[in-house]
Amino acid sequence: MSRTSPNQEHADVADATVAARPRPTWWVKLIAFAACLLTLWHVGASFLWIAPYSALREIPTQQVLASYMLPMFGQSWSVFAPEPINGDYHFNVRAVIEKDGEEIETGWVSATDVELSMIRYNLFPPRAGIQSSEVASGQMNAYNKLNADQKAVVGLDFDEAEWEDWMVRSFDELEGENPSTETYMAEEHLSTAYATQVAYAIWGADAVVKVQYRVSRQNVVPYADRNDPSAQRPDPTFSTTGWRLPIEEEGQSRENFANTFRGQFERIQP
């Protein structure tokens, strides 16, 4: 009578366990394969987006990368040297509203302060907490590329129908060409659309006649003066803009914006 060794018994049990273990079905394999591809794409796209610009970025194209990374995955090395973020942007809004048959000019409201209060001391900050800062940064960067005459145009009131076309024609009438005006008009449209939503949220869409926004940037204390207890931050710089007729993007929801923004605005009021 032959006897089986303990090692042989263990091997037999292991083989039986492997044989009894069900193999993944085709759809499980498909999901795993798709998850691997998605992970590879995300890691690769993040690398291309964060890294300095190169020809590799044009493989998926810049437009494809931007549409994927923004707004949820946007990031950069701007918090590090050699050019870390060294200033704060603010976006302020006011409006002319109709009340009791009269048009009344409101005071300025800092949309940035309202949004920052959403993320301060919040372990799960919402994306809505940085929208105004991003809009302000884009607008001022485009504004600073304009010449003095073009900045004077931006400071005029454009509060009649088809005012954007009127503004473009005003740029075109100036002597000399500056391709920066096209970039600025895109930022102008975005900034006015954002200001419109802020005004509607605070004063009501039915009451708002026209809006005006003001963008400012204030640098931090210069690095050379960091140890000086009496050092003061430099005065803020402003991009001067005039009154604008309200505009809205197709597909925007006044209600959703107002529910988020107005609720927070009312919570931080003294």
Side-chain angles (χ1 to χ4, degrees):
M1 181 176 180
S2 62
R3 298 181 59 185
T4 304
S5 66
N7 290 337
Q8 184 62 40
E9 290 179 355
H10 290 160
D12 293 342
V13 171
D15 290 341
T17 302
V18 171
R21 183 182 301 162
R23 292 187 176 184
T25 59
W26 66 270
W27 59 268
V28 173
K29 294 180 181 179
L30 182 62
I31 292 176
F33 180 70
C36 290
L37 289 180
L38 179 60
T39 301
L40 289 174
W41 158 251
H42 180 75
V43 172
S46 298
F47 171 78
L48 292 175
W49 185 258
I50 298 171
Y53 180 83
S54 69
L56 291 175
R57 185 175 288 191
E58 296 303 325
I59 295 177
T61 75
Q62 178 75 4
Q63 183 177 359
V64 171
L65 272 179
S67 62
Y68 176 75
M69 296 300 296
L70 301 176
M72 297 302 297
F73 305 120
Q75 52 185 308
S76 70
W77 293 105
S78 57
V79 296
F80 302 109
E83 295 182 358
I85 296 174
N86 60 354
D88 301 322
Y89 288 96
H90 270 77
F91 194 99
N92 297 276
V93 178
R94 67 176 177 176
V96 169
I97 62 174
E98 187 173 350
K99 186 176 182 180
D100 298 329
E102 297 183 1
E103 292 189 354
I104 302 173
E105 187 177 293
T106 72
W108 289 102
V109 171
S110 173
T112 303
D113 286 347
V114 175
E115 291 187 348
L116 289 179
S117 68
M118 299 180 189
I119 63 177
R120 190 176 291 117
Y121 311 122
N122 189 343
L123 291 177
F124 303 99
R127 185 73 184 180
I130 61 173
Q131 297 303 304
S132 66
S133 297
E134 292 183 347
V135 173
S137 174
Q139 192 275 345
M140 179 161 278
N141 288 335
Y143 177 85
N144 288 336
K145 295 177 181 178
L146 302 178
N147 59 40
D149 291 338
Q150 292 164 337
K151 289 179 179 178
V153 170
V154 174
L156 299 176
D157 295 337
F158 292 92
D159 51 2
E160 297 180 5
E162 300 181 354
W163 64 266
E164 289 180 284
D165 294 336
W166 176 21
M167 193 172 186
V168 170
R169 289 195 299 271
S170 298
F171 281 138
D172 292 341
E173 290 173 0
L174 298 175
E175 293 184 1
E177 295 184 1
N178 187 344
S180 298
T181 57
E182 183 177 351
T183 300
Y184 178 79
M185 286 305 302
E187 296 296 338
E188 172 73 43
H189 182 91
L190 177 62
S191 299
T192 305
Y194 179 80
T196 297
Q197 292 301 315
V198 171
Y200 284 174
I202 297 175
W203 297 292
D206 295 335
V208 173
V209 177
K210 54 186 177 181
V211 298
Q212 185 179 26
Y213 67 86
R214 180 178 65 188
V215 171
S216 64
R217 187 184 193 279
Q218 185 176 27
N219 287 347
V220 299
V221 172
Y223 184 78
D225 300 330
R226 65 191 183 281
N227 296 321
D228 183 358
S230 62
Q232 300 290 326
R233 298 182 66 174
D235 292 335
T237 58
F238 297 88
S239 62
T240 303
T241 59
W243 290 97
R244 307 288 188 254
L245 202 66
I247 56 175
E248 289 186 278
E249 291 286 357
E250 184 178 355
Q252 277 188 311
S253 173
R254 297 181 186 175
E255 292 75 19
N256 290 343
F257 187 98
N259 290 339
T260 300
F261 191 93
R262 183 175 58 242
Q264 192 66 22
F265 171 76
E266 293 174 348
R267 276 192 288 272
I268 68 173
Q269 294 307 298

